Amino acid sequence: MALNDTDVTDAALAILDEYGLADLTMRRLADSLGVRAGALYWHVSNKQTLLAGLVTVILDGLEEPAGPWRAGLAGWADALRSRLLAHRDSADLVATMRAIGMAATDLADGPAACLTGAGLEPERAGLGARTLVHFVIGHVNEEQQRVQLGPLAGEDAPPVPSGAEDFRAGVGLLLDGIAAQFP
Amino acid sequence: MALNDTDVTDAALAILDEYGLADLTMRRLADSLGVRAGALYWHVSNKQTLLAGLVTVILDGLEEPAGPWRAGLAGWADALRSRLLAHRDSADLVATMRAIGMAATDLADGPAACLTGAGLEPERAGLGARTLVHFVIGHVNEEQQRVQLGPLAGEDAPPVPSGAEDFRAGVGLLLDGIAAQFP
DNA sequence: ACCTGAACACCGTTCAAGT
DNA sequence: ACCTGAACACCGTTCAAGT
């Protein structure tokens, strides 16, 4: 029975979750599908668009921020963090794809629209939105990296409290900064 | 005349500046030094510590923030941005090395100390400092990526104003948020 | 002490040829 | 339509052997 395109994406996501981004190679993915590496290129044009597809799946169903801007953005940031934490190395993956420019529908668009809707001028809204997205991705990236390094590093781990409360505090700090931008 | 260890670092930095991080391979570095790839391992234990050495050089001489916290952090952020902008892909490089855990003297320590010195409790100071570092690296990363993609993308580039003024506005937003953390 | 030659175990990607 | 076999042009790293 022949492979279909979603089989490939699903298998790639499984490898990502179990072995991490560094071990997600085309050859390994082919192995897990019982096929030779070259066969993958019938279903996907190259590795980069495959990874972009993973990002789409990971972020699928993330709703735009709604309601009063402050609570809306806080909830949206929480939801984004949850989706990222659900898949190993996803923050790293998303950061890489954003850097390459493949953001498809850019993550910051929703928050930016939320802020302009609340009366902030577009430039400041865009800045606040991008800063928020940076923070979420950066924070989750640290959280996910710590999981990988945790077993290695001894009890002398860096004094980074982290976790959900640290995240919320950081978001609160940012929202305070954004609040100060309003006229 | 035999190679010494700083020759290797210097040549690596030259390749980084001219061809970017993706093209900085051990084999290419060896070529530029007129030597075979294996020879590099006499001078450097592996590629990762070589890259860590580059980060050290790039950040060398960056002074800790001084004076009143707000102006001190703003100036420090500017100085960090300048050092990063001086070398191609340096923000990507620094972000990668921080993620790996090799931060040597962590960038956020200086700002954190500045904030605790100004009377902020250590947890909030650490959070504010890390958020600031995230922002600087993330922002410069975007600036440097845009340079690479600029020639490819047409005039329909994303509406990201960026540059020095955008950077300063972002830092200002963050500092407002930090100010709100003070008791 | 410093480097070469040659290998090992990998990569992503292409493409004729098979079914 | 879908896949194999085999190649191309690479990687980082090791290590005997040379000088």
Side-chain angles (χ1 to χ4, degrees):
Chain A
M1 43 192 148
L3 247 49
N4 66 48
D5 302 17
T6 40
D7 286 342
V8 177
T9 302
D10 288 352
L13 201 58
I15 292 182
L16 181 70
D17 284 342
E18 201 164 355
Y19 304 101
L21 187 57
D23 284 355
L24 176 50
T25 71
M26 296 301 271
R27 295 177 125 95
R28 185 160 182 150
L29 174 58
D31 272 7
S32 87
L33 289 164
V35 98
R36 300 312 198 88
L40 295 176
Y41 291 84
W42 182 264
H43 298 98
V44 80
S45 51
N46 53 40
K47 186 176 181 180
Q48 197 151 135
T49 67
L50 170 69
L51 295 182
L54 291 187
V55 171
T56 302
V57 171
I58 290 171
L59 298 180
D60 182 49
L62 179 69
E63 300 168 27
E64 311 265 285
W69 73 267
R70 185 154 185 139
L73 290 188
W76 182 86
D78 258 350
L80 174 56
R81 173 169 174 268
S82 295
R83 277 211 159 48
L84 292 176
L85 284 179
H87 296 281
R88 174 137 101 148
D89 290 346
S90 62
D92 189 2
L93 175 62
V94 170
T96 304
M97 299 315 286
R98 288 190 89 229
I100 305 296
M102 295 206 63
T105 163
D106 192 9
L107 268 173
D109 288 346
C114 171
L115 285 170
T116 52
L120 198 58
E121 18 176 328
E123 294 228 344
R124 291 168 186 274
L127 178 65
R130 278 178 287 123
T131 306
L132 180 64
V133 170
H134 269 148
F135 175 80
V136 176
I137 295 175
H139 195 279
V140 175
N141 201 1
E142 274 191 7
E143 291 189 75
Q144 292 181 325
Q145 228 78 45
R146 196 165 13 249
V147 171
Q148 252 93 59
L149 296 179
L152 303 179
E155 201 58 42
D156 60 339
V160 183
S162 177
E165 58 182 316
D166 189 52
F167 177 77
R168 251 158 249 193
V171 170
L173 183 154
L174 264 174
L175 295 182
D176 284 342
I178 292 174
Q181 306 277 315
F182 276 86
Chain B
M1 43 194 148
L3 247 47
N4 65 50
D5 303 18
T6 40
D7 285 343
V8 176
T9 302
D10 288 352
L13 200 58
I15 291 182
L16 181 71
D17 284 344
E18 200 163 355
Y19 303 100
L21 188 56
D23 284 354
L24 177 49
T25 70
M26 296 301 272
R27 295 176 125 95
R28 187 162 179 145
L29 174 58
D31 272 8
S32 87
L33 288 164
V35 99
R36 300 312 199 85
L40 296 176
Y41 291 84
W42 182 263
H43 297 99
V44 80
S45 50
N46 52 41
K47 186 177 181 179
Q48 198 152 134
T49 66
L50 170 69
L51 295 181
L54 290 188
V55 170
T56 301
V57 171
I58 290 171
L59 298 180
D60 182 49
L62 180 68
E63 300 168 27
E64 311 265 284
W69 74 268
R70 186 153 183 139
L73 290 188
W76 182 84
D78 257 351
L80 174 56
R81 173 170 174 267
S82 295
R83 276 211 161 46
L84 292 176
L85 284 179
H87 295 281
R88 175 141 110 154
D89 290 346
S90 62
D92 189 2
L93 175 62
V94 170
T96 303
M97 299 314 287
R98 287 190 91 229
I100 305 297
M102 296 206 63
T105 164
D106 192 8
L107 267 174
D109 288 347
C114 171
L115 286 169
T116 52
L120 198 57
E121 16 175 331
E123 294 228 344
R124 292 168 186 274
L127 178 66
R130 278 178 288 123
T131 307
L132 180 63
V133 170
H134 270 147
F135 175 79
V136 176
I137 294 175
H139 195 279
V140 175
N141 200 1
E142 274 192 6
E143 290 189 77
Q144 292 181 324
Q145 228 77 46
R146 197 167 9 251
V147 171
Q148 251 92 61
L149 296 179
L152 302 179
E155 200 59 41
D156 59 340
V160 183
S162 175
E165 59 183 316
D166 190 52
F167 177 77
R168 252 158 246 193
V171 171
L173 184 154
L174 263 174
L175 296 181
D176 284 342
I178 291 174
Q181 305 278 316
F182 276 87

